[in-house]
Amino acid sequence: MVPLAAGFVGVILGAIMVNLALKGQRYHYEKKEKQREELKRLTEEIDTLLLLNKKINELLVKRNLLLPKYVSFDTFDDVFISIDDYVFLQSFAAQNHFLLPNYLVEEFFKDIAVRQAILSPEETTAIGGYTYKGGRLLLEQFSDKIISIIEDRKIQLKKEKQKLV
């Protein structure tokens, strides 16, 4: 009777140890998987911010390319944004709202909408877009904020990679 009870206790202790080992292994696997997902999310966020910053910089460079169309504008800090570019910015922000800092994007569109120059319909049709008075400074500030956020995300990414190893 004693060997039977000892065997039974041994089987139960073995089952408990195996169960604890499996739970520990599952916990470790889930923790690693969460860290990988966080790395993936941070990488996607950085890529999205870089793409947005690239588009903003393209808008700033267009001034030099389209300078003859700017003859009617008073200052060099006006920015011309074509309708296609404006629609791209809005749809890009809408599609990637979960990867972009919403407060920053909303403030940008609110601030730039206030600065839109009122042109005659002929001028708007001729240039195919909108002009924003003082928009260059606004776009440059927006680009600087995006770059600072990218740097912060890169630091976070580096820390997450160190945790994973």
Side-chain angles (χ1 to χ4, degrees):
M1 186 88 165
V2 173
L4 182 64
F8 186 68
V9 169
V11 168
I12 290 177
L13 286 176
I16 290 172
M17 288 173 49
V18 167
N19 193 11
L20 289 175
L22 287 174
K23 283 185 180 183
Q25 184 182 16
R26 187 177 311 130
Y27 173 77
H28 180 71
Y29 176 75
E30 288 174 357
K31 184 178 173 186
K32 289 286 185 185
E33 196 60 36
K34 284 181 183 177
Q35 287 175 337
R36 284 189 190 105
E37 287 175 13
E38 182 66 18
L39 283 175
K40 183 179 175 185
R41 186 191 65 75
L42 282 172
T43 304
E44 287 176 353
E45 191 173 343
I46 289 170
D47 290 343
T48 303
L49 288 167
L50 284 170
L51 188 59
L52 180 61
N53 193 44
K54 179 182 174 187
K55 190 62 176 178
I56 295 296
N57 287 326
E58 285 176 12
L59 293 176
L60 290 171
V61 171
K62 277 187 179 181
R63 171 80 182 195
N64 299 331
L65 299 175
L66 302 171
L67 204 54
K69 293 184 180 181
Y70 281 92
V71 174
S72 65
F73 306 142
D74 297 334
T75 62
F76 276 95
D77 64 344
D78 291 350
V79 172
F80 166 75
I81 299 178
S82 70
I83 293 172
D84 295 338
D85 291 337
Y86 190 80
V87 168
F88 174 81
L89 286 175
Q90 288 222 322
S91 64
F92 185 82
Q95 289 172 355
N96 298 299
H97 68 91
F98 56 93
L99 293 173
L100 295 172
N102 290 332
Y103 67 93
L104 187 66
V105 174
E106 288 174 10
E107 286 298 314
F108 168 73
F109 280 115
K110 206 183 306 179
D111 289 345
I112 197 130
V114 170
R115 295 174 183 248
Q116 186 171 352
I118 299 171
L119 302 175
S120 69
E122 294 81 25
E123 284 181 311
T124 304
T125 304
I127 63 173
Y130 307 107
T131 302
Y132 298 90
K133 295 210 178 272
R136 175 166 291 280
L137 180 64
L138 194 63
L139 285 171
E140 288 172 351
Q141 289 174 347
F142 187 54
S143 179
D144 290 342
K145 288 176 185 176
I146 289 173
I147 289 170
S148 70
I149 291 171
I150 290 170
E151 293 302 319
D152 292 343
R153 297 302 186 262
K154 284 182 179 180
I155 292 169
Q156 285 179 341
L157 184 65
K158 190 181 246 183
K159 287 179 182 177
E160 288 293 324
K161 282 184 179 178
Q162 289 174 351
K163 281 185 196 176
L164 192 60
V165 174

